[in-house]
Amino acid sequence: MSDSLLARKYFDGIYIPAGLIILGTIIVRREWTPYAVIAAIALGSLKYFNNLPKKVLKPDAFQEFELKEKTVISHNVAIYRFALPSHNSVLGLPIGQHISIGAAIEQPDGSTKEIVRSYTPISGDHQPGYFDLLIKSYPTGNISKHMASLAVGQSIRVKGPKGAFVYTPNMVRHFGMIAGGTGITPMLQVVRAIIRGRAAGDTTQVDLIFANVTPQDILLKEDLDTLVAEDKGFRVHYVLDKPPAGWSGGVGYVTADMITRWLPKPADDVKILLCGPPPMISGLKKTTEALGFKKARPVSKLEDQVFAF
């Protein structure tokens, strides 16, 4: 998140004003120059620290964030952009973790019940001032249906960070990822962090199996394909349950053969990440164990070889 101290904004906002203070003092009253230097340093430091990213998430308290923009992707999928308190605010969400969204949802009997669900933003702390959520709404969903009903200007309640997984550069040699539907969001978060970290020496390889029903259900396909084209260390393998004629990707459910063919083999420096519908995750935990990966726990821990979000 840190910028180079030679960035244009520092010249315009700090160095040039500080230089003008000192130069003006030399011209008007040279003997006051030491005081001008002290004043310039103090004002520059204050401006620098005021412009540092400010983390806003609180793990034990909900906060309200206003919906600024809604981009409809399909009849039941949209990207929701929420404003943070200032242009240099960030959520402060470690890569691999998620947030909790809470809302009072009306129940069939007319009462209201506090419902909380977890979501992973598709934006990151390298994008200050806002955060984006990709959400698929379901007719029987609680929070997802509530989100679909939101109008620009309305707010949601958020707290966090949550989750046992935190990505650190080169934590493994190779990730194998399997995502179903909206389970792509934590995978995309990790992949983008890896690719952003290439210049700093992140060499992590990633192979992602992304399973959906039809081509229209493949969320963020354009983004994924762009990342594949940009980075030779990232590959995506699409699987469809109902493929169109001429489909060249995988067909049906994610199988042991697909995992063997596309994902890294079991090794101490390999980790498998899973995210998708519960029945899919349950089946994949058994499949990966049968292929020689260490048995996945009911609730995943960071050190696990097979980690389910």
Side-chain angles (χ1 to χ4, degrees), residues 44 150 164 204 206 212 258-259:
L150 283 182
T204 311
V206 182
N212 289 279
M258 292 177 189
I259 294 171

Side-chain angles (χ1 to χ4, degrees), residues 76-91:
N76 63 352
V77 179
I79 295 175
Y80 302 82
R81 175 162 292 184
F82 293 91
L84 294 172
S86 70
H87 72 280
N88 62 334
S89 297
V90 297
L91 276 177

Side-chain angles (χ1 to χ4, degrees), residues 7-280:
R8 175 68 183 269
K9 67 177 184 180
Y10 293 130
F11 277 95
D12 292 346
I14 297 176
Y15 305 146
I16 292 174
L20 291 173
I21 291 172
I22 296 167
L23 180 62
T25 304
I26 291 172
I27 293 170
V28 175
R29 189 68 67 91
R30 181 180 291 270
E31 63 270 23
W32 287 2
T33 301
Y35 303 108
V37 171
I38 292 170
I41 291 172
L43 290 171
S45 299
L46 181 63
K47 193 158 190 178
Y48 173 78
F49 285 109
N50 281 341
N51 280 319
L52 286 177
K54 294 175 176 60
K55 298 179 180 181
V56 301
L57 274 180
K58 296 178 181 177
D60 53 356
F62 280 105
Q63 299 177 83
E64 292 202 352
F65 299 98
E66 183 181 325
L67 178 63
K68 283 296 185 186
E69 192 179 325
K70 179 178 176 179
T71 304
V72 175
I73 305 299
S74 69
H75 72 284
N76 63 352
V77 179
I79 295 175
Y80 302 82
R81 175 162 292 184
F82 293 91
L84 294 172
S86 70
H87 72 280
N88 62 334
S89 297
V90 297
L91 276 177
L93 187 70
I95 300 299
Q97 295 205 300
H98 52 264
I99 58 174
S100 294
I101 296 177
I105 305 294
E106 187 174 342
Q107 301 302 298
D109 63 2
S111 64
T112 59
K113 182 180 180 183
E114 177 74 7
I115 304 294
V116 178
R117 292 289 184 270
S118 296
Y119 290 93
T120 303
I122 58 171
S123 55
D125 284 355
H126 62 294
Q127 299 162 296
Y130 67 88
F131 66 95
D132 290 340
L133 296 174
L134 173 79
I135 295 179
K136 184 173 185 176
S137 63
Y138 299 91
T140 57
N142 284 302
I143 297 295
S144 70
K145 194 162 65 172
H146 170 71
M147 294 289 290
S149 72
L150 283 182
V152 170
Q154 292 184 298
S155 297
I156 59 167
R157 294 165 53 238
V158 171
K159 70 177 179 180
K162 299 279 187 178
F165 186 88
V166 177
Y167 177 73
T168 50
N170 296 310
M171 64 188 294
V172 293
R173 172 179 55 84
H174 200 154
F175 277 119
M177 299 178 174
I178 309 175
T182 54
I184 191 61
T185 55
M187 308 303 185
L188 186 60
Q189 188 191 41
V190 173
V191 168
R192 283 176 169 163
I194 289 169
I195 293 174
R196 284 198 307 275
R198 294 296 193 209
D202 196 332
T203 60
T204 311
Q205 295 287 302
V206 182
D207 278 275
L208 164 67
I209 297 176
F210 190 16
N212 289 279
V213 179
T214 69
Q216 291 72 35
D217 296 315
I218 304 176
L219 301 172
L220 302 171
K221 186 176 188 298
E222 191 174 315
D223 298 57
L224 290 166
D225 291 344
T226 298
L227 291 173
V228 168
E230 288 175 356
D231 191 272
K232 62 182 181 182
F234 175 49
R235 294 158 292 275
V236 180
H237 314 278
Y238 295 107
V239 176
L240 293 179
D241 194 31
K242 297 177 181 177
W247 173 253
S248 60
V251 175
Y253 295 125
V254 178
T255 64
D257 286 344
M258 292 177 189
I259 294 171
T260 301
R261 185 160 79 248
W262 290 327
L263 300 191
K265 303 294 181 286
D268 290 340
D269 54 0
V270 162
K271 195 182 284 284
I272 303 295
L273 304 181
L274 309 174
C275 192
M280 173 185 176

